[in-house]
């Protein structure tokens, strides 16, 4: 099991390198093709809707046929081919290639996360000690991309992306068959209905939606906003590296933090960090502040994401873990993407970075308020039980 855990961590490292290098520059590539910022927001929102459809499709496929290895291979191989087409100067081809990229990367997080939680628990470890390697990869990928686009146009990032994808696929071939990793499952439709009947789950997902739509603003528009503020590509790469590397200690220590404060309060700490992060950029939207504030990525996204995955594992039955992670991914990547890209793209084009940063601050604050309600309701439930 320790060998499987090592391979899984290496896989997360490679996916972090590839996605962390390419994803932050997608909007820049679109803008280089001649699109406006709000047009990019619409395209990203449509891609987020596609994520929802893809999650439902891949989640059902994974639950019915237990095709973890094949799905993970496809989630790397097909996007790599699509990313190579970004170098061709055609808006329509770029959009089509990006939609293919999105449709096949959609299952990567929920399928690998459900697998990682099971493997980590069986090995006596924690999910955070696995997921932190993706953040290490994101950090290295962000820095490599910043150096790469300082010399070559961002649309050529598909070539180094392919290199890390090939290594990731080789690692997947070393994973054991899913039958050797005991994961209980139910039908996706049954699991979806069962999970969404829980009011606490719905409140939790709404909180994740409001908070994570602000992360969409970072993922989609950070490089664009950084340039609007006078920052360089090289400095944006450093900022992305700082953001990603700050996740590592948070994720690695998440199990210890959760044992002390509990899952709900740890999520609340993450939400508060989001408020501070966006509030600082709203008050001082200058490159030096925008670089320095990325150290809060670990306390915001790092803590919130790991605890959200752990929380979903705890509040759904064991046989619904893949379903639960698919639903969480739909909210994190799909619904939050639609809301975040449309809202923040519009605000950025209409009123500039200040309006976007302020809206993100308010959205994170409302999400944090919902988490407080969850914490209080859980306390009330415990007292009532006694």
């Amino acid at each position: 099991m320790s060998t499987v855990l090592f391979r899984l961590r290496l896989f997360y490292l490679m996916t972090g390198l590839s996605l962390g290098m390419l994803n932050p520059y997608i909007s820049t590539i679109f803008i280089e093709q001649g699109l406006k910022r709000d047009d990019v927001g619409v395209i990203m929102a449509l891609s987020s809707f596609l994520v929802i459809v893809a999650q439902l499709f891949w989640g059902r496929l994974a639950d019915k046929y237990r095709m973890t290895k094949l799905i993970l291979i496809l989630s790397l191989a097909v996007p790599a081919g699509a990313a190579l087409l970004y170098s061709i100067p055609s808006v329509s081809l770029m959009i089509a290639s990006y939609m293919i990229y999105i449709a096949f990367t959609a299952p990567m997080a929920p399928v690998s996360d459900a697998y990682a939680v099971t493997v980590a628990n069986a090995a006596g470890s924690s999910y955070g000690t696995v997921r932190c390697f993706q953040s290490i990869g994101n950090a290295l990928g962000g820095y490599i991309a910043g150096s790469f686009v300082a010399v070559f146009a961002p649309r050529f990032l598909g070539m180094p992306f392919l290199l890390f994808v090939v290594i990731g696929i080789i690692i997947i071939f070393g994973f054991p068959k899913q039958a050797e990793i005991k994961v209980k499952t139910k039908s996706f439709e049954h699991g979806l209905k069962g999970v969404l009947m829980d009011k606490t789950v719905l409140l939790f997902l709404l909180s994740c939606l409001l908070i994570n739509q602000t992360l969409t603003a970072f993922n989609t528009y950070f490089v664009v906003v950084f340039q609007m503020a006078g920052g360089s590509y090289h400095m944006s790469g450093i900022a992305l590296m700082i953001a990603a590397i700050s996740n590592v200690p948070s994720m690695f220590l998440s199990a210890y933090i959760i044992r002390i404060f509990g899952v709900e309060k740890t999520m609340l700490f993450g939400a508060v960090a989001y408020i501070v992060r966006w509030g600082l950029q709203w008050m001082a939207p200058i490159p030096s502040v925008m670089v320095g504030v990325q150290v809060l990525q670990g306390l915001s996204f790092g803590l919130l994401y790991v605890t959200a995955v752990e929380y979903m594992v705890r509040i759904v039955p064991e046989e619904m873990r893949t379903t639960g992670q698919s639903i969480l991914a739909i909210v994190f990547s799909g619904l939050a993407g639609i809301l975040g890209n449309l809202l923040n793209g519009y605000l950025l084009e209409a009123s500039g970075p200040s309006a976007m940063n302020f809206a993100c601050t308010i959205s994170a604050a409302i999400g944090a308020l919902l988490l407080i309600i969850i914490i209080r309701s859980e306390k009330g439930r415990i007292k009532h039980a006694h």
Side-chain angles (χ1 to χ4, degrees):
M1 187 60 70
S2 60
T3 301
V4 178
L5 198 59
F6 171 77
R7 289 173 178 168
L8 192 58
R9 286 168 174 163
L10 195 58
F11 167 77
Y12 270 80
L13 178 66
M14 289 301 110
T15 57
L17 274 165
S18 56
L19 297 177
M21 182 173 54
L22 181 59
N23 284 350
Y25 291 91
I26 296 294
S27 297
T28 304
I29 297 173
F30 272 121
I31 291 172
E32 284 186 344
Q33 298 278 23
L35 294 176
K36 295 180 180 178
R37 286 181 284 271
D38 52 350
D39 291 333
V40 174
V42 172
I43 293 172
M44 294 299 184
L46 290 174
S47 71
S48 298
F49 177 77
L50 179 59
V51 166
I52 297 174
V53 177
Q55 290 291 0
L56 293 172
F57 170 77
W58 290 112
R60 182 175 183 177
L61 200 65
D63 281 338
K64 187 173 183 179
Y65 299 106
R66 305 188 73 190
M67 301 165 58
T68 295
K69 289 177 66 173
L70 178 59
I71 290 174
L72 288 178
I73 289 171
L74 290 174
S75 72
L76 287 175
V78 176
L84 289 176
L85 298 177
Y86 294 169
S87 60
I88 301 175
S90 168
V91 172
S92 57
L93 181 60
M94 172 73 187
I95 294 174
S97 300
Y98 181 64
M99 293 303 171
I100 294 173
Y101 175 92
I102 287 298
F104 280 86
T105 54
M108 185 186 298
V111 172
S112 60
D113 284 349
Y115 188 79
V117 167
T118 303
V119 171
N121 289 342
S125 184
S126 68
Y127 166 74
T129 63
V130 176
R131 179 57 177 77
C132 70
F133 279 84
Q134 190 169 77
S135 294
I136 295 173
N138 282 333
L140 296 174
Y143 182 77
I144 291 171
S147 300
F148 183 89
V149 299
V151 180
F152 305 99
R155 66 178 183 273
F156 294 112
L157 278 168
M159 290 182 286
F161 178 84
L162 176 63
L163 171 64
F164 296 118
V165 160
V166 170
I167 298 174
I169 291 174
I170 293 173
I171 294 168
I172 294 173
F173 281 115
F175 286 175
K177 295 180 180 179
Q178 190 167 352
E180 299 174 26
I181 304 295
K182 304 301 181 183
V183 181
K184 296 181 181 179
T185 59
K186 282 188 178 181
S187 71
F188 188 81
E189 293 84 354
H190 185 277
L192 184 67
K193 182 179 179 181
V195 170
L196 294 182
M197 289 294 288
D198 191 313
K199 292 182 179 179
T200 300
V201 174
L202 290 176
L203 199 63
F204 160 66
L205 292 176
L206 180 57
S207 174
C208 288
L209 172 64
L210 291 171
I211 296 172
N212 207 61
Q213 76 86 11
T214 72
L215 184 67
T216 302
F218 171 74
N219 291 336
T220 302
Y221 298 112
F222 175 76
V223 175
V224 176
V225 171
F226 194 72
Q227 285 187 296
M228 291 174 70
S232 66
Y233 275 135
H234 180 69
M235 287 300 295
S236 69
I238 292 176
L240 293 171
M241 181 184 68
I242 291 173
I245 204 69
S246 70
N247 284 323
V248 177
S250 296
M251 291 182 172
F252 191 80
L253 296 173
S254 61
Y256 177 74
I257 298 172
I258 289 172
R259 280 197 298 269
I260 296 176
F261 298 103
V263 175
E264 294 89 347
K265 287 185 179 179
T266 305
M267 283 194 294
L268 182 58
F269 294 155
V272 172
Y274 267 111
I275 298 171
V276 175
R277 177 181 181 180
W278 287 107
L280 288 173
Q281 291 181 95
W282 171 55
M283 291 185 291
I286 56 178
S288 58
V289 173
M290 294 173 70
V291 172
V293 81
Q294 301 315 317
V295 297
L296 293 174
Q297 170 83 348
L299 292 177
S300 53
F301 171 76
L303 285 183
L304 185 70
Y305 184 80
V306 171
T307 50
V309 170
E310 293 277 4
Y311 188 66
M312 184 60 81
V313 167
R314 295 185 185 193
I315 62 179
V316 300
E318 184 180 357
E319 65 271 14
M320 297 182 188
R321 280 183 177 174
T322 300
T323 298
Q325 295 307 320
S326 294
I327 294 170
L328 185 63
I330 286 172
V331 173
F332 260 76
S333 304
L335 296 178
I338 293 173
L339 176 61
N341 282 308
L342 284 177
L343 175 62
N344 296 307
Y346 169 77
L347 290 173
L348 189 59
E349 185 69 25
S351 304
S354 180
M356 186 189 78
N357 291 334
F358 178 72
C360 287
T361 305
I362 298 301
S363 184
I366 297 173
L369 180 61
L370 291 178
L371 288 178
I372 292 174
I373 295 174
I374 292 174
I375 293 172
R376 289 184 174 179
S377 65
E378 289 295 317
K379 286 183 178 179
R381 187 183 303 178
I382 293 172
K383 289 180 180 179
H384 181 73
H386 286 294

